[in-house]
Amino acid sequence: MAILQPIHNIAEILAQKNVKTAILCPGSRSAALTISLVRHPEIQTYSISDERSAAFIGLGMAQQTGDTVALICTSGTAAYNFAPAVAEAYFQEIPLLVMTADRPAEWIHQYDGQTIYQREIYGKHVKKAFELPSDYTHSDSVWQIERVVNEAVNLSQIFPKGPVHINVPIREPFYPTEMEKIEFDRNVRIIKHAHVEKKLSNEFWCNFKEIWESIDNKLIIVGHQHSSKRLNIVLEKFVEELGVPVVADIISNVNSIEPVLSDVFLSSKNENLKNNLKPDLLITIGKSVISKNLKIFIRNNKPKFHFHIQENGDLIDPFQTLTDKVEVSPEYFFEQLFEDLDIQNFKNGDEEIDFEFLQQWCNTNERAKKKLNSFIENLEYSEFKVIKSIIDKLPENSIFHLANSMVVRYANLIGIEKGKNIEIFANRGTSGIDGSLSSAIGVALKTNKIVTCLIGDMSFFYDRNGFWNTYLPDNLRVIVINNHGGNIFRIIDGPNKQPEVKEYFETIQSSSAKYICEEANVFYHQVNDEESLLSTLNFLHQKSERPILIEVEIDGNKNAEVFASYKKLFAEFV
Amino acid sequence: MAILQPIHNIAEILAQKNVKTAILCPGSRSAALTISLVRHPEIQTYSISDERSAAFIGLGMAQQTGDTVALICTSGTAAYNFAPAVAEAYFQEIPLLVMTADRPAEWIHQYDGQTIYQREIYGKHVKKAFELPSDYTHSDSVWQIERVVNEAVNLSQIFPKGPVHINVPIREPFYPTEMEKIEFDRNVRIIKHAHVEKKLSNEFWCNFKEIWESIDNKLIIVGHQHSSKRLNIVLEKFVEELGVPVVADIISNVNSIEPVLSDVFLSSKNENLKNNLKPDLLITIGKSVISKNLKIFIRNNKPKFHFHIQENGDLIDPFQTLTDKVEVSPEYFFEQLFEDLDIQNFKNGDEEIDFEFLQQWCNTNERAKKKLNSFIENLEYSEFKVIKSIIDKLPENSIFHLANSMVVRYANLIGIEKGKNIEIFANRGTSGIDGSLSSAIGVALKTNKIVTCLIGDMSFFYDRNGFWNTYLPDNLRVIVINNHGGNIFRIIDGPNKQPEVKEYFETIQSSSAKYICEEANVFYHQVNDEESLLSTLNFLHQKSERPILIEVEIDGNKNAEVFASYKKLFAEFV
């Protein structure tokens, strides 16, 4: 048996446990992992050099498939370059198996190259951190390796999904001898993890339905979450059959109902308008909410009851109004609730459903939408208008990756048309600008759909090494909104009043994406006005042999003006 | 008093404690720090967007000046992007003050944007991690902030220098009102830290000199360290007056004596040759040693005594032969020893110094050097030859930054001419490929000397965002050795025997540096042969209005052949 056989067997365990994609970052210390993963017939491997980008590409793949993706790196700071994506995966609940090769413990901080303190390096940003033994001679060590790898993969998939870290100290020699065949032990230990369904007691349902029936104004708010067909179906019923308004951000992937532009009209200073929208029973699901106005509205108008439905065990209360945490899946919760209410209605005879509260929300929303559309229509060439055009032209059944900072905020104000079946991804776990391009590439590598990444210039150049690999897929479309700086700082209140805004907040930069596109062999088009934008959008989503990037050149000062007039307009919305 | 006055006063404390350079990464959460540092008249600030590169630029500045450089970032994964440079700074003992803005503790993991677990995020890779209070209303909090900032700066400068982390939770509002003047309190608390000189007892010296006199074959090995004039002067005396050979890597900055190409001739399989070079008393100073052959030679030929002279309190034993750790400065140790031996000689009458052991080392070195030079001279265009030409043409009194992987290894084999007063920098703390370009830029920003960065293509493209800022200095010269992949994996034994070498180790990439140079307005020259290399090197170090980059295109397979023949040649060296 090869000395490194227990390491080679990791590939077999991963394959059998459905971890079939591995991102390999080059290095010697990790060679045994690399070679066995590459040689395993069931595992698809990618070699990507910049670990920061590599980890975000892996995250994008896992976002798209829901399956655990393995990330492998050599020892040293390589492991730290994974960290931004690991943190994002933790808060966004994306399953990653991070395996960092390491020197054996006796050589840590002994002046040997590429050695840092890797044990538990990701702190609280992984569900669990393991370390394998560096000696495999004792059979207990083999047992430990097999058990740990099983546990790590299981954990990454148990809800809430997330990243798990295994530090892998490896002694030399790292490489099999020339032409040595690596054997995979098909009988390697596999420990399965039984899926547990969490249900609520009859007692809970009795109490809850009592509240449900005693309260008129019920509201559902959906935060950031992956697309769920089951949830979309049942939420539609709550709106249409039970008259409960559902407010969802663009990143909530609720596409069965009209988008509610809550951030737009809740910015109004008109208290009458808002008085009619106050819920008495609030049910929230999902993770973070983009709309600051929505958060402030709820905080200022505390509902009598606020149930948060989420399996995640942390107590998270961004509205500061939570009364009940319910740790079951939202799908089960709403399906069960709907079914129970349905049976009850059948038994008791159809009760009159009151649609008034829903109508209040819908009417306000309709009026806001009209006003916003006419505002945008009359705009000159500026970001608000550009992003509206981009969203309008998105193809059906495609994927839309929204980068952070202004881009996702604009898109959230505009909303996405119902029924086009567009799935939204956004790295809102930590809302960093560091990996959006790479994540979108990862998503595109795992689907045949068109993936459109809408991204600002700062995020794009920050993560430009996303283009530094040989796998760029032809279904990738990138639209860079280039206002030559962090335009958000000119738009939000505060920095725009400071003399330092240009150099130290916006950080004016003159780069163009054309150079990196030329280097990476990506089709490049520049857009400078409305007309060229529209003609470019017309062919953007057609089939292409190479990925396409559109750089939308735009004046940041203009955007700031437009945004100020938008805010003024809706502050007075009645 | 402004609410954020205690935060503004941090700028005043830093200025008074000689922290006069700050790298500011854009963000809102850190605005109060940014604005006060920018407005402080004595602090020079730089705005750099990619935190990974920004931190390495700061590290380069601190490498060059020895002064603490402040790094400021906003909350979220920004802090993690600092981490690779923080780890490098820790192991290389570079003084950094890392200040990460954060949400107040009550908002951590409450689904608000850009929030991760920042407390103690750098683990063991900082000398100490602090967190400031987020309330400044109680006077004890103000006392705490002032005390902590004082302690942090002091710690960064106390030997061994290193990075210190302050997490800074800040509540809104972040920005002063329009036109509000920030006042700095000149009477802010300053707590100085007295410099302590560490001396050895008479008892130690008596014992040590007994050993010194009883042993014939004494050897000094110098690991990675910053340039020290005092040390260079005294080491020269040990060689010339006391006949003790001093073996130093290129990164040891020992430029007062002939470079000893130990890695070259210690690769010989001839045991007779090595028998004559075995020390009985070994004195080591500095940090890591590049030469693997030197490490193996010492491990296989354990000296009777091995003293390691270093103030760092960790017990580090890479040769596995350490008998005595002496925690004083090498300058004091050797100066005191030389003085004592001198006085003793004066008292006892000049004793005959035995130069035989030194002669053994010098002769072997001379023969190896001759052989190597003639080997290189006869080579076709290949890396070995190219790097020799580059080193030969380095200007006097300049700075040479060596990136990791093959480049630093080649340079260490070739050595650097005595007396040209060239200072060497290399990120050998963790030996990562992630920040060499940025570090060299940081060094160049803090000197008027020419700074030449010799770097491989993988390191260059990895860290290409080093060019994404508005501060690129005209004294910067970058030479990219572009063999289109991690050529080291084709050169070292092991991966070159694997079928995966090309895709998963070398990671063949086709990029050229010309695109990023065009984007960043850096003068670009491509070199494809010996002749164009030499003509380019002739003007490279002349005054220029912009930084200059030379891309040396070279065939990786050729390099591997050359390296194999070099190894063969010296395996048989007698």
Side-chain angles (χ1 to χ4, degrees):
Chain A
M1 197 180 78
I3 296 175
L4 291 173
Q5 189 61 42
I7 298 296
H8 298 151
N9 279 346
I10 293 175
E12 181 62 31
I13 300 175
L14 297 192
Q16 290 196 36
K17 293 186 78 73
N18 198 38
V19 183
K20 300 212 170 161
T21 302
I23 310 282
L24 311 171
C25 301
S28 251
R29 187 65 53 175
S30 51
L33 285 165
T34 294
I35 290 173
S36 49
L37 287 162
V38 171
R39 293 195 193 170
H40 198 288
E42 290 169 37
I43 295 177
Q44 197 174 9
T45 52
Y46 300 82
S47 175
I48 296 172
S49 298
D50 182 339
E51 285 91 4
R52 182 170 74 186
S53 166
F56 276 111
I57 288 176
L59 176 135
M61 291 171 162
Q63 263 178 335
Q64 169 58 17
T65 62
D67 298 332
T68 303
V69 169
L71 304 177
I72 316 296
C73 71
T74 190
S75 66
T77 51
Y80 257 149
N81 282 291
F82 276 169
V86 170
E88 175 62 33
Y90 182 76
F91 291 112
Q92 203 189 143
E93 301 173 2
I94 306 274
L96 296 177
L97 179 67
V98 185
M99 290 195 279
T100 54
D102 197 1
R103 286 180 188 266
E106 66 268 21
W107 276 104
I108 306 300
H109 196 17
Q110 291 296 312
Y111 289 153
D112 246 1
Q114 301 197 328
T115 310
I116 68 172
Y117 294 112
Q118 292 180 202
R119 193 180 284 181
E120 306 196 340
I121 191 166
Y122 304 113
K124 293 192 197 171
H125 302 107
V126 286
K127 291 183 68 179
K128 197 164 172 179
F130 300 92
E131 182 161 273
L132 299 188
S134 46
D135 257 315
Y136 320 125
T137 40
H138 198 289
S139 65
D140 281 3
S141 296
V142 176
W143 164 69
Q144 183 191 11
I145 292 171
E146 294 183 343
R147 194 196 66 224
V148 161
V149 175
N150 272 282
E151 181 178 356
V153 178
N154 291 347
L155 262 178
S156 72
Q157 283 291 332
I158 296 169
F159 199 90
K161 295 182 178 184
V164 180
H165 178 212
I166 308 180
N167 195 42
V168 188
I170 299 182
R171 292 216 176 91
E172 297 192 51
F174 304 142
Y175 298 93
T177 53
E178 199 171 355
M179 304 311 286
E180 181 183 336
K181 211 167 161 274
I182 290 182
E183 307 274 355
F184 297 107
D185 178 3
R186 300 292 298 174
N187 296 318
V188 75
R189 267 191 88 193
I190 298 297
I191 309 170
K192 295 188 284 287
H193 187 89
H195 176 71
V196 176
E197 280 189 45
K198 294 185 195 161
K199 307 247 169 200
L200 293 162
S201 65
N202 285 337
E203 200 190 337
F204 170 87
W205 283 120
C206 284
N207 290 338
F208 184 77
K209 276 182 291 186
E210 233 169 73
I211 294 169
W212 182 267
E213 270 150 29
S214 69
I215 297 264
D216 284 332
N217 299 342
K218 310 178 190 86
L219 180 70
I220 298 172
I221 295 178
V222 188
H224 183 205
Q225 61 169 13
H226 302 188
S227 183
S228 160
K229 209 170 169 178
R230 270 176 65 193
L231 194 64
N232 268 312
I233 291 170
V234 73
L235 285 180
E236 196 181 354
K237 290 183 189 167
F238 271 82
V239 178
E240 295 185 355
E241 301 182 30
L242 300 175
V244 182
V246 173
V247 176
D249 276 338
I250 194 167
I251 55 170
S252 311
N253 282 299
V254 176
N255 51 31
S256 57
I257 52 169
E258 275 301 313
V260 178
L261 310 184
S262 69
D263 204 47
V264 175
F265 58 78
L266 289 177
S267 68
S268 169
K269 288 187 181 133
N270 184 295
E271 287 306 317
N272 270 344
L273 178 97
K274 287 188 264 188
N275 272 336
N276 295 326
L277 303 173
K278 289 181 194 171
D280 294 314
L281 165 60
L282 173 65
I283 304 176
T284 54
I285 59 175
K287 297 189 284 286
S288 69
V289 163
I290 298 174
S291 169
K292 202 169 181 176
N293 291 318
L294 178 61
K295 282 191 266 192
I296 293 170
F297 169 69
I298 299 291
R299 284 178 203 158
N300 289 345
N301 298 285
K302 295 204 189 309
K304 202 165 162 201
F305 301 99
H306 172 186
F307 287 74
H308 186 57
I309 319 299
Q310 187 183 43
E311 287 185 84
N312 186 322
D314 295 312
L315 210 160
I316 303 175
D317 181 30
F319 296 100
Q320 305 185 317
T321 54
L322 195 63
T323 57
D324 292 82
K325 175 85 188 292
V326 185
E327 292 185 2
V328 296
S329 83
E331 286 85 351
Y332 156 75
F333 181 85
F334 286 113
E335 285 171 356
Q336 187 68 49
L337 178 60
F338 188 82
E339 197 185 308
D340 287 4
L341 293 171
D342 212 37
I343 292 171
Q344 202 165 295
N345 276 353
F346 180 76
K347 276 190 196 153
N348 305 354
D350 268 1
E351 228 184 291
E352 194 77 19
I353 302 281
D354 184 356
F355 282 89
E356 202 195 315
F357 191 59
L358 177 67
Q359 285 307 329
Q360 288 289 356
W361 274 87
C362 288
N363 288 343
T364 313
N365 191 46
E366 272 309 304
R367 286 187 297 112
K369 204 167 177 175
K370 241 183 207 158
K371 200 178 180 97
L372 184 70
N373 283 346
S374 104
F375 169 77
I376 296 177
E377 216 160 279
N378 292 319
L379 285 179
E380 287 173 71
Y381 178 72
S382 59
E383 276 179 14
F384 222 135
K385 188 158 191 148
V386 162
I387 292 176
K388 175 81 164 75
S389 302
I390 291 166
I391 291 178
D392 285 348
K393 292 276 189 180
L394 285 175
E396 285 187 15
N397 303 313
S398 70
I399 291 175
F400 192 33
H401 184 104
L402 285 162
N404 283 312
S405 200
M406 274 318 286
V407 150
V408 69
R409 285 182 170 79
Y410 276 120
N412 192 45
L413 296 177
I414 293 162
I416 206 150
E417 221 177 301
K418 170 186 165 183
K420 276 179 87 174
N421 194 25
I422 292 169
E423 197 174 349
I424 310 282
F425 287 113
N427 287 345
R428 296 301 291 179
T430 65
S431 301
I433 65 163
D434 40 8
S436 295
L437 178 67
S438 295
S439 301
I441 292 167
V443 172
L445 281 165
K446 289 292 178 187
T447 179
N448 293 321
K449 294 181 179 177
I450 290 285
V451 176
T452 307
C453 173
L454 182 64
I455 188 167
D457 53 306
M458 297 307 283
S459 307
F460 175 78
F461 290 111
Y462 197 112
D463 187 25
R464 68 172 87 197
N465 271 350
F467 276 2
W468 188 43
N469 63 70
T470 56
Y471 306 102
L472 297 186
D474 57 18
N475 57 337
L476 177 71
R477 303 292 179 269
V478 180
I479 305 176
V480 180
I481 306 290
N482 194 347
N483 49 44
H484 297 282
N487 203 204
I488 190 169
F489 294 109
R490 191 165 287 278
I491 287 172
I492 59 175
D493 271 342
N496 56 357
K497 306 265 169 41
Q498 310 301 322
E500 294 86 0
V501 64
K502 204 165 156 183
E503 184 172 0
Y504 290 94
F505 292 96
E506 267 193 305
T507 334
I508 290 302
Q509 58 86 28
S510 59
S511 293
S512 159
K514 77 177 168 194
Y515 303 103
I516 181 92
C517 287
E518 206 177 330
E519 184 187 323
N521 194 18
V522 169
F523 282 135
Y524 170 82
H525 296 271
Q526 201 187 61
V527 158
N528 291 293
D529 54 27
E530 187 69 15
E531 203 183 342
S532 62
L533 172 72
L534 293 176
S535 70
T536 309
L537 287 176
N538 277 336
F539 72 78
L540 177 64
H541 299 299
Q542 287 167 18
K543 240 188 155 57
S544 161
E545 278 169 17
R546 296 285 308 145
I548 304 175
L549 182 143
I550 296 182
E551 183 165 41
V552 181
E553 289 280 339
I554 214 147
D555 173 29
N557 292 318
K558 180 83 207 163
N559 297 331
E561 274 170 40
V562 166
F563 206 84
S565 64
Y566 153 77
K567 273 170 68 174
K568 194 156 167 268
L569 185 69
F570 279 93
E572 290 152 15
F573 183 70
V574 285
Chain B
M1 195 179 79
I3 296 176
L4 291 172
Q5 189 61 41
I7 298 295
H8 298 152
N9 279 346
I10 292 176
E12 181 61 31
I13 300 176
L14 297 192
Q16 290 197 36
K17 292 187 78 72
N18 197 37
V19 182
K20 300 213 170 160
T21 302
I23 310 281
L24 310 171
C25 301
S28 250
R29 187 65 53 176
S30 50
L33 285 165
T34 294
I35 290 173
S36 48
L37 287 162
V38 170
R39 293 193 192 171
H40 198 287
E42 289 169 38
I43 295 177
Q44 195 173 11
T45 52
Y46 300 82
S47 175
I48 296 173
S49 299
D50 182 340
E51 285 91 2
R52 182 170 74 187
S53 166
F56 275 111
I57 289 176
L59 176 135
M61 292 171 163
Q63 264 177 336
Q64 169 58 18
T65 62
D67 297 333
T68 302
V69 170
L71 303 176
I72 317 296
C73 71
T74 189
S75 66
T77 51
Y80 257 149
N81 282 291
F82 276 169
V86 170
E88 175 63 32
Y90 183 76
F91 292 111
Q92 204 188 145
E93 302 173 359
I94 306 274
L96 296 177
L97 179 67
V98 184
M99 289 195 279
T100 55
D102 197 0
R103 285 180 189 265
E106 65 269 21
W107 275 104
I108 306 300
H109 196 16
Q110 291 296 312
Y111 289 155
D112 246 0
Q114 302 199 330
T115 310
I116 67 173
Y117 295 112
Q118 291 180 203
R119 193 180 283 181
E120 304 195 343
I121 193 166
Y122 304 113
K124 294 192 197 170
H125 301 109
V126 285
K127 292 182 69 179
K128 198 164 173 179
F130 300 91
E131 182 161 274
L132 299 187
S134 47
D135 258 314
Y136 321 125
T137 37
H138 198 288
S139 65
D140 281 3
S141 296
V142 177
W143 164 66
Q144 182 189 10
I145 292 171
E146 293 183 344
R147 193 196 68 223
V148 160
V149 175
N150 272 283
E151 182 177 357
V153 178
N154 290 347
L155 262 178
S156 73
Q157 283 290 333
I158 295 169
F159 199 90
K161 294 182 179 184
V164 179
H165 178 210
I166 307 180
N167 196 42
V168 188
I170 299 182
R171 292 216 176 91
E172 299 192 48
F174 304 144
Y175 298 93
T177 53
E178 199 172 355
M179 305 307 290
E180 181 183 336
K181 213 169 161 269
I182 290 183
E183 307 274 355
F184 298 107
D185 177 4
R186 300 292 298 173
N187 296 318
V188 75
R189 266 192 88 195
I190 298 298
I191 309 172
K192 295 189 283 288
H193 186 90
H195 176 71
V196 175
E197 279 189 45
K198 293 184 195 162
K199 308 247 171 202
L200 293 162
S201 64
N202 284 337
E203 200 191 341
F204 170 87
W205 282 121
C206 284
N207 289 337
F208 183 77
K209 276 182 289 186
E210 233 168 72
I211 294 170
W212 181 269
E213 269 151 29
S214 69
I215 298 264
D216 282 333
N217 299 341
K218 311 178 191 86
L219 180 71
I220 298 171
I221 296 178
V222 188
H224 183 206
Q225 60 168 13
H226 301 187
S227 184
S228 160
K229 209 170 171 178
R230 269 177 64 194
L231 194 63
N232 268 311
I233 291 170
V234 72
L235 285 180
E236 195 180 354
K237 290 183 188 166
F238 271 82
V239 179
E240 293 185 356
E241 300 183 30
L242 299 175
V244 182
V246 173
V247 176
D249 277 337
I250 193 167
I251 54 170
S252 310
N253 281 301
V254 176
N255 51 30
S256 57
I257 51 169
E258 274 302 313
V260 178
L261 311 184
S262 69
D263 204 47
V264 175
F265 57 78
L266 289 177
S267 69
S268 170
K269 286 184 183 135
N270 185 295
E271 287 306 318
N272 269 346
L273 178 99
K274 286 189 265 189
N275 271 336
N276 295 326
L277 304 173
K278 289 180 194 173
D280 294 314
L281 166 61
L282 173 65
I283 303 176
T284 55
I285 57 176
K287 297 189 283 285
S288 69
V289 163
I290 298 174
S291 169
K292 202 169 181 178
N293 291 318
L294 178 62
K295 283 192 263 191
I296 293 170
F297 168 70
I298 298 292
R299 284 177 203 158
N300 290 345
N301 297 286
K302 297 205 187 310
K304 204 168 163 196
F305 301 99
H306 174 186
F307 287 75
H308 186 56
I309 319 299
Q310 188 182 41
E311 286 184 85
N312 185 322
D314 296 310
L315 209 159
I316 304 175
D317 180 30
F319 296 100
Q320 304 185 316
T321 53
L322 194 63
T323 56
D324 291 81
K325 176 85 189 293
V326 185
E327 292 183 1
V328 295
S329 83
E331 286 86 350
Y332 155 75
F333 181 86
F334 286 114
E335 285 171 354
Q336 186 68 50
L337 178 60
F338 188 83
E339 196 185 309
D340 286 5
L341 292 171
D342 214 37
I343 292 172
Q344 201 165 292
N345 275 353
F346 180 76
K347 276 191 193 149
N348 304 355
D350 267 0
E351 227 184 294
E352 193 75 19
I353 300 280
D354 185 355
F355 282 89
E356 203 193 315
F357 191 59
L358 177 67
Q359 285 306 330
Q360 287 289 357
W361 274 88
C362 288
N363 287 343
T364 312
N365 190 45
E366 272 308 305
R367 286 185 299 112
K369 204 167 179 176
K370 242 185 207 160
K371 199 178 180 96
L372 183 72
N373 283 346
S374 104
F375 169 79
I376 295 176
E377 217 160 279
N378 292 316
L379 285 178
E380 287 173 70
Y381 179 70
S382 60
E383 277 181 13
F384 222 134
K385 187 157 192 151
V386 161
I387 293 175
K388 175 83 165 74
S389 302
I390 290 166
I391 291 178
D392 285 348
K393 291 277 188 179
L394 285 175
E396 286 187 15
N397 303 314
S398 70
I399 291 175
F400 191 32
H401 184 103
L402 285 161
N404 282 312
S405 201
M406 274 317 288
V407 150
V408 69
R409 286 180 170 80
Y410 277 119
N412 192 45
L413 296 177
I414 293 161
I416 206 151
E417 222 176 302
K418 170 186 164 183
K420 275 180 87 175
N421 192 26
I422 292 169
E423 197 173 349
I424 310 283
F425 288 112
N427 286 345
R428 297 301 292 179
T430 66
S431 300
I433 65 163
D434 40 8
S436 295
L437 177 67
S438 295
S439 302
I441 291 166
V443 172
L445 282 165
K446 288 290 178 187
T447 178
N448 292 321
K449 293 181 180 179
I450 289 284
V451 176
T452 307
C453 173
L454 182 64
I455 188 167
D457 52 305
M458 297 307 284
S459 307
F460 176 76
F461 291 112
Y462 198 113
D463 186 26
R464 69 173 86 195
N465 271 351
F467 276 3
W468 188 44
N469 63 69
T470 55
Y471 307 101
L472 297 186
D474 57 16
N475 56 336
L476 176 72
R477 303 292 179 268
V478 180
I479 304 176
V480 180
I481 306 291
N482 195 347
N483 48 45
H484 296 283
N487 204 205
I488 189 169
F489 293 109
R490 193 165 286 279
I491 287 171
I492 59 173
D493 270 342
N496 56 359
K497 305 267 169 38
Q498 311 300 323
E500 293 85 1
V501 64
K502 203 166 154 181
E503 184 172 358
Y504 290 95
F505 293 96
E506 267 194 305
T507 332
I508 290 302
Q509 59 86 26
S510 59
S511 294
S512 160
K514 77 177 166 195
Y515 304 102
I516 181 90
C517 286
E518 207 177 327
E519 185 187 323
N521 193 18
V522 169
F523 283 135
Y524 171 81
H525 297 270
Q526 200 187 60
V527 159
N528 291 292
D529 55 27
E530 186 70 16
E531 204 182 340
S532 63
L533 172 72
L534 294 176
S535 70
T536 309
L537 287 176
N538 276 336
F539 72 77
L540 177 64
H541 299 300
Q542 287 167 18
K543 240 188 157 57
S544 161
E545 278 169 15
R546 296 286 307 146
I548 304 176
L549 182 143
I550 296 183
E551 184 166 41
V552 181
E553 288 282 339
I554 214 148
D555 173 30
N557 292 317
K558 181 82 206 163
N559 298 331
E561 274 171 41
V562 165
F563 206 83
S565 64
Y566 153 76
K567 273 170 70 174
K568 196 157 165 267
L569 185 70
F570 279 93
E572 290 153 15
F573 183 71
V574 285

